[in-house]
Each structure stands twice: as structure tokens, then as C-alpha cells.
């Protein structure tokens, strides 16, 4: 389909109890193309009462969905995987339109996002329990897993497909029903995915989708409702903290995938070409708008000048432009506010004495473009070393000893991802134990993998998504004590 046909093919209403509401019947909000600032379309704007209607539907469907055979739940996920794969080009075009990422990266996200559906279609039939004898020999212990119950899923704008399938996949596999609140900046991909589930025969009420321009009001109401049993949130640490406070009122089970401040360590024995190649991915995937993005390059003093020079050269070669142009290596940032924040972090570092190797100022003209930027000589007090940049900016700092490198890497409240380049196996073992992150890439710039547990330590979150662990977030453990023969 052409871009216009993709947009026109979407149902932009709310999806509650298996029915699309007519988008004309209610207030709406608009979705922008970040490459041009132009409006792509408008989407129905759910209010708190719509959120409650969605929860009513989820609660109504919970019992029968939990009783649906795991194979049937898995087959629906498998069908959805096949359908997303068949429509890969439409999904990719839509994501590039609403989020801005280069079309090649959007295609990669379709593969990545679809894979969560396939992975969890296989996990649906592997939920197990155990039967054992208590130590005193008198009681038999029957331990089994049950779906947690109706969930609220809140997703961010930066990976409009994968962040949804990483939650919806395991929730469906586990037998949970849900209310999905997609991001107001990029709700369209969620709506296309919802259509896929509808066509795959997902029963009414299992998935309910409520895009809204007033996330706070809608979720506050849902979180106060005792029928909700779980919150799974992906987004900033700041919003995550405030949702945890609200969730405490009903002692809600929570999964939190929050922000990061990933260190990227380059040791003196690293193969520099490989380190630069890894840095390009770890920094520029998704224009740097990834929670896993390398946020601080911590480089041994003996190779620092070479590393920054090589990285600056590689970054400066990238063409910045609309993601729909296959020649573009870097698309726009999501909006003016985000671009302004990135630029402010760069200017703060420069004002404190840092040196720009390439880039360093917003690009004039329509869209929210920012050039790939390398800065070195960053003083320790610069904001850019503490805050999540969420843009294509690589600040580098130097170290002299391994202990110093580890100290710098861990000097943050975050602990999501980290990267290290070295050829010393003993050092790899030391780093594996010392770096405080949930995911560590050794000699690679990518840690994301549907078969691996994704998540962070410290203030980067609670729980894991994907891997064998992902489905556990949607299951609760129950035990039955069985007396022996009377
Ligand atoms: N750890 C991970 O897996 C992961 C993955 C992707 C993004 N992120 C993080 O997400 C952030 C970027 O995404 P973002 O800008 O969409 O984050 P955000 O926290 O602003 O928004 C995330 C979601 O929460 C909603 N939201 C915003 N305010 C809310 C409120 N008061 N109450 C309820 N919902 C609210 C948004 O509409 C969106 O759906 C970055 O910090 C990034 O690191 C983390
Ligand atoms: O933005 C964070 C998610 C990135 C990923 O899953 O690879």
C-alpha cells in the first residue's frame, strides 16, 4: 500500500469488547509526522469513562479466556505473527510515518516485534507447575500457575510495535485480558496491530485499546479500580515512579521498563573498528531514542582520541533526512520538545568546556532533525552524563584504570543496559560481575533479543520482558496443600 492507503486503511476509533467505536462520534487528537510536522490523521480520544468501559470488557472476558486451552491461545498468537509478517511493509511504512525512524530500521522492528508474538505462541503451552511431598511426608504440595487477571498495559512512542507485542504477547499466552493504552504520539501502529488480532479471532474483551491525549486522567481512574490486577508500564522513570505511587493504593502487581543511561566502555585492547561499529548501533539505532542507547562513552585514555575521531567520521557520513527515503541513515527526533532537550544537554556540556567533534546544533527547516554529534572533554558535572539523552549525541569521557572505568559506569541511578569492548577474557568476567545493569553486551552494540530477559536494575525498572521470564510477569503462583490418606 502507499503511505496514504496505509493511513486510510486504519480504524482510528477505540476498540472495546471486540467492537470499534466510530471515531466521528467523539473528541479526537491528531498524530503528526515528525519529518514534516504535518498532521497524518486524527484518532479517537478516550476519556476515563472509556477506560472503565474497556476494563469492564476485560473483566467480563477474563474467566473464559483463562479457561481457553493454551494451544488455542498460542495458535491465535501464531496467526497474529503470520499476519504481521505478511503485512510487514505496511507496518514499517506506518511506523516510519508516525515515529520517523528510517524505513530499514522500521522493517527491523517489524521482525523484532513480530518475534515476540511467535516466541509467546510457543511459551503459551509451556506453563508448568509441580507436585511434591512436604519434608514431613504428610502433605502433598501442588503448585500451579494462573493468569494474574486483567492488566493495564502502557507503552511508549519509540518502538510503536515491539513495545506492544512484548506485553500483549505474554499476556495473551498466560490467559490475561487487558486494556492497552498506546502512546499519544504514536498510537497508529497499535491500532493496526489491534486489527490483526481482531482478524486472528481473539475473543471480544481480551484486548481493549484506548488511545488518549489525557493519559494521566485515564490511567489514574483505572489504577484506582480494584478489579485491575496488574500494571505493565514502559516509559520514563519519572512517569514510572508516579504510576508506582498510584499502584501502591491497590497493591497492584507492577512491571516497569524504565529509562537508561547506558555506559559504553572501550578498553585499550579493544579492536577499535569493531568498537566504532558497535558504537554506531548502540548510539544511533532509533536516532538514539532507545532506552538501551549508549549514553556515555567511557574510553581508555590511550585510545580515546582515535576512538572519538573514528566515531565522528563514521557519524558525519550518515545522511539525515525523512525515514521514508531509503538513503537516510538518521530520521527526525519525535518532537520539538525532545529536540530542544537534546540540544540543551549539548549546549550545557559545551558551556562547561566540552569540545564538539561533529554536529552540535539543530538542523533548520521542517521536521525535528538533529545531526549525529560527538563531543569529548566532558567535565564530570555536565548534565549530559547524568540524564538520558534520547538523541544522536555521543559524549565521551576517559579513564586510566579498569576500576575507574567501572566506577564511572556505575555512577548513575539507572541500570538498564551496558556495553564493553575488550579482548581480555578475565576482564570480561570481572565486568560481568561488577557493572550494575540488567543487560550487558560484550563486543556487541545490541542487547535486544526476544529470547532474552529484557529489563533493568536500580531505577531502570522492575521485572523482565521476553525470554523465559517474560510470561512469568503475567502469572501468579498458587499452592494447594493436599493431606495424605486419612
Ligand atoms: N526499559 C525499557 O524497556 C524501555 C523501552 C522503551 C522506552 N523506555 C523509556 O521510555 C522513555 C521514552 O518514552 P516516552 O517519552 O513515551 O515515556 P513517557 O514516560 O513520557 O510515556 C510512556 C507512556 O506513558 C504515558 N504517560 C505519560 N504520562 C503519563 C501519566 N502521567 N500517567 C499515565 N501514563 C502516562 C505516555 O502517553 C506513554 O504511553 C525513555 O525514558 C525510555 O528510556 C524504556
Ligand atoms: O527503548 C527501549 C527498547 C529497545 C529494545 O527493545 O531494543
Amino acid at each position: 500500500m502507499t503511505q496514504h492507503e496505509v493511513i486510510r486503511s486504519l480504524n482510528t476509533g477505540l476498540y472495546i469488547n471486540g467492537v470499534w467505536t466510530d471515531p466521528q462520534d467523539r473528541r479526537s487528537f491528531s498524530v503528526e509526522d515528525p519529518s514534516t510536522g504535518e498532521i497524518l490523521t486524527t484518532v479517537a480520544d478516550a476519556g476515563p469513562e472509556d477506560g472503565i468501559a474497556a476494563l469492564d470488557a476485560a473483566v467480563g472476558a477474563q474467566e473464559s479466556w483463562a479457561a481457553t486451552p493454551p494451544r488455542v491461545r498460542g495458535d491465535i498468537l501464531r496467526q497474529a505473527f503470520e499476519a504481521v509478517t505478511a503485512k510487514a511493509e505496511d507496518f514499517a511504512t506506518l511506523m516510519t510515518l508516525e515515529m520517523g525512524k528510517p524505513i530499514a530500521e522500521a522493517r527491523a522492528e517489524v521482525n523484532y516485534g513480530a518475534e515476540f508474538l511467535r516466541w509467546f505462541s510457543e511459551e503459551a503451552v509451556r506453563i508448568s507447575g509441580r507436585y511434591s511431598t512436604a519434608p514431613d511426608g504428610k502433605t502433598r504440595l501442588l503448585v500451579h500457575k494462573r493468569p494474574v487477571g486483567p492488566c493495564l498495559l502502557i507503552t511508549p512512542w519509540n518502538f510503536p510495535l515491539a513495545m506492544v507485542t512484548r506485553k500483549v504477547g505474554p499476556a495473551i499466552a498466560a490467559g490475561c485480558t487487558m486494556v492497552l493504552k498506546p502512546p499519544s504520539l504514536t498510537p497508529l501502529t497499535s491500532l493496526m496491530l489491534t486489527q490483526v488480532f481482531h482478524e486472528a479471532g481473539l475473543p471480544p474483551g481480551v484486548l481493549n485499546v484506548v488511545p488518549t491525549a489525557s493519559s494521566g486522567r485515564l490511567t489514574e481512574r483505572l489504577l484506582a479500580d480494584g478489579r485491575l490486577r496488574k500494571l505493565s508500564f514502559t516509559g520514563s522513570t519519572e512517569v514510572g515512579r508516579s504510576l508506582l505511587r498510584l499502584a501502591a493504593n491497590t497493591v497492584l502487581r507492577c512491571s516497569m521498563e524504565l529509562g537508561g543511561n547506558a555506559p559504553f566502555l572501550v578498553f585499550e585492547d579493544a579492536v577499535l573498528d569493531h568498537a566504532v561499529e558497535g558504537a554506531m548501533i548502540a548510539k544511533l539505532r532509533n536516532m538514539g531514542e532507545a532506552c538501551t542507547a549508549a549514553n556515555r562513552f567511557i574510553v581508555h585514555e590511550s585510545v580515546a582520541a582515535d576512538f572519538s575521531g573514528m566515531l565522528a567520521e563514521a557519524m558525519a557520513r550518515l545522511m539525515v533526512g525523512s525515514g521514508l527515503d531509503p538513503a537516510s541513515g538518521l530520521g527526525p527526533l519525535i518532537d520539538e520538545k525532545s529536540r530542544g532537550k537534546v540540544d540543551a544537554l549539548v549546549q550545557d556540556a559545551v558551556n562547561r568546556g566540552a569540545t564538539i567533534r561533529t554536529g552540535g546544533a539543530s538542523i533548520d527547516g521542517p521536521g525535528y532533525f538533529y545531526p549525529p554529534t560527538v563531543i569529548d572533554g566532558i567535565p564530570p558535572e555536565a548534565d549530559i552524563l547524568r540524564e538520558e539523552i534520547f538523541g544522536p549525541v555521543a559524549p565521551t569521557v576517559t579513564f586510566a584504570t579498569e576500576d575507574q572505568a567501572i566506577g564511572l559506569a556505575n555512577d548513575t541511578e539507572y541500570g538498564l543496559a551496558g556495553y564493553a569492548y575488550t579482548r581480555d577474557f578475565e576482564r570480561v568476567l570481572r565486568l560481568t560481575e561488577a557493572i550494575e545493569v540488567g543487560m550487558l553486551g560484550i563486543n556487541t552494540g545490541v542487547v535486544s533479543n526476544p529470547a532474552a530477559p529484557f529489563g533493568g536494575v536500580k531505577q531502570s525498572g522492575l521485572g523482565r520482558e521476553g525470554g523465559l521470564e517474560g510470561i512469568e510477569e503475567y502469572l501468579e503462583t498458587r499452592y494447594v496443600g493436599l493431606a495424605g490418606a486419612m
Side-chain angles (χ1 to χ4, degrees):
M1 285 195 269
T2 65
Q3 340 167 356
H4 298 293
E5 286 165 348
V6 168
I7 298 283
R8 272 204 306 272
S9 74
L10 291 173
N11 199 321
T12 54
L14 313 178
Y15 184 72
I16 298 177
N17 214 12
V19 176
W20 291 95
T21 63
D22 186 342
Q24 311 297 337
D25 286 352
R26 55 185 61 241
R27 332 177 272 284
S28 62
F29 65 94
S30 45
V31 181
E32 233 187 46
D33 174 352
S35 294
T36 58
E38 284 166 13
I39 291 174
L40 290 169
T41 187
T42 57
V43 170
D45 185 6
E49 64 293 349
D50 299 308
I52 293 299
L55 181 59
D56 290 344
V59 170
Q62 181 56 58
E63 196 178 327
S64 63
W65 184 237
T68 300
R71 178 64 77 200
V72 173
R73 301 199 300 259
D75 283 348
I76 291 174
L77 281 172
R78 178 70 197 206
Q79 269 193 57
F81 162 76
E82 304 287 353
V84 171
T85 306
K87 292 175 200 270
E89 209 46 33
D90 295 344
F91 270 100
T93 303
L94 185 59
M95 269 195 281
T96 292
L97 280 171
E98 69 171 340
M99 191 275 163
K101 65 183 76 192
I103 190 73
E105 289 197 43
R107 290 180 184 128
E109 185 181 341
V110 177
N111 286 336
Y112 178 50
E115 192 54 42
F116 287 109
L117 301 175
R118 177 156 64 173
W119 177 265
F120 287 108
S121 76
E122 292 157 354
E123 291 300 285
V125 293
R126 313 219 187 289
I127 299 166
S128 62
R130 67 178 192 271
Y131 179 79
S132 63
T133 304
D136 64 7
K138 292 182 186 152
T139 313
R140 301 292 180 268
L141 311 178
L142 180 65
V143 180
H144 69 137
K145 302 279 176 80
R146 305 196 317 167
V148 170
C151 306
L152 171 59
L153 313 179
I154 304 182
T155 56
W157 51 265
N158 62 340
F159 287 87
L161 181 66
M163 296 305 96
V164 179
T165 54
R166 205 160 76 179
K167 295 185 191 305
V168 170
I172 288 180
C176 293
T177 60
M178 65 215 96
V179 177
L180 168 67
K181 194 218 75 65
S184 50
L185 288 165
T186 61
L188 304 180
T189 305
S190 296
L191 296 172
M192 190 181 264
L193 181 68
T194 303
Q195 190 64 42
V196 161
F197 277 117
H198 184 77
E199 286 161 13
L202 191 68
V206 175
L207 171 66
N208 304 280
V209 185
V210 284
T212 177
S214 348
S215 303
R217 283 197 316 128
L218 183 138
T219 56
E220 210 168 299
R221 183 82 173 269
L222 286 174
L223 291 173
D225 192 312
R227 297 173 300 163
L228 188 71
R229 291 297 153 78
K230 178 172 176 77
L231 166 65
S232 178
F233 171 78
T234 298
S236 60
T237 296
E238 189 190 348
V239 174
R241 274 191 207 106
S242 73
L243 292 175
L244 279 171
R245 276 185 215 109
L246 290 172
N249 293 327
T250 52
V251 192
L252 202 59
R253 193 156 156 196
C254 292
S255 303
M256 291 275 148
E257 293 288 347
L258 307 177
N261 181 1
F264 188 108
L265 287 83
V266 183
F267 287 91
E268 61 277 25
D269 62 341
V271 180
L272 278 198
D273 285 334
H274 294 177
V276 170
E277 208 178 295
M280 290 293 284
I281 302 171
K283 180 70 258 182
L284 294 185
R285 173 173 175 247
N286 225 38
M287 289 79 76
E289 293 171 315
C291 54
T292 48
N295 213 55
R296 294 166 295 147
F297 290 85
I298 301 171
V299 189
H300 190 268
E301 57 191 13
S302 64
V303 294
D306 287 347
F307 176 80
S308 316
M310 288 162 73
L311 184 60
E313 227 174 79
M315 280 173 70
R317 274 200 298 270
L318 281 185
M319 190 184 121
V320 182
S322 162
L324 289 172
D325 179 347
S328 294
L330 202 78
L333 297 181
I334 190 69
D335 59 14
E336 187 53 51
K337 187 169 155 224
S338 301
R339 180 166 72 163
K341 185 193 158 198
V342 170
D343 193 50
L345 289 173
V346 170
Q347 300 323 320
D348 171 73
V350 170
N351 292 338
R352 293 176 195 268
T355 308
I356 291 188
R357 290 267 195 156
T358 186
S362 293
I363 297 173
D364 286 340
Y368 312 116
F369 294 95
Y370 202 86
T373 297
V374 177
I375 328 175
D376 50 24
I378 316 273
E381 66 279 9
D383 293 343
I384 204 163
L385 298 180
R386 283 192 306 280
E387 291 191 26
E388 192 177 29
I389 303 168
F390 243 53
V393 178
T396 67
V397 296
T398 60
F399 66 87
T401 65
E402 185 181 303
D403 280 352
Q404 231 182 339
I406 292 169
L408 287 168
N410 290 341
D411 185 17
T412 168
E413 69 199 36
Y414 296 104
L416 190 62
Y419 308 87
Y421 275 74
T422 176
R423 282 181 286 176
D424 178 340
F425 183 68
E426 296 289 326
R427 172 181 283 144
V428 168
L429 293 182
R430 289 193 295 274
L431 296 177
T432 302
E433 312 221 331
I435 307 274
E436 297 166 347
V437 290
M439 302 174 284
L440 184 61
I442 299 291
N443 296 326
T444 174
V446 184
V447 289
S448 312
N449 189 324
F454 192 106
V457 299
K458 293 159 83 176
Q459 295 190 38
S460 284
L462 304 168
R464 293 294 180 270
E465 291 190 323
L468 297 179
E469 290 78 0
I471 196 166
E472 295 295 332
E473 303 283 319
Y474 296 88
L475 293 170
E476 61 188 11
T477 303
R478 191 162 69 153
Y479 131 74
V480 181
L482 303 166
M486 309 262 292

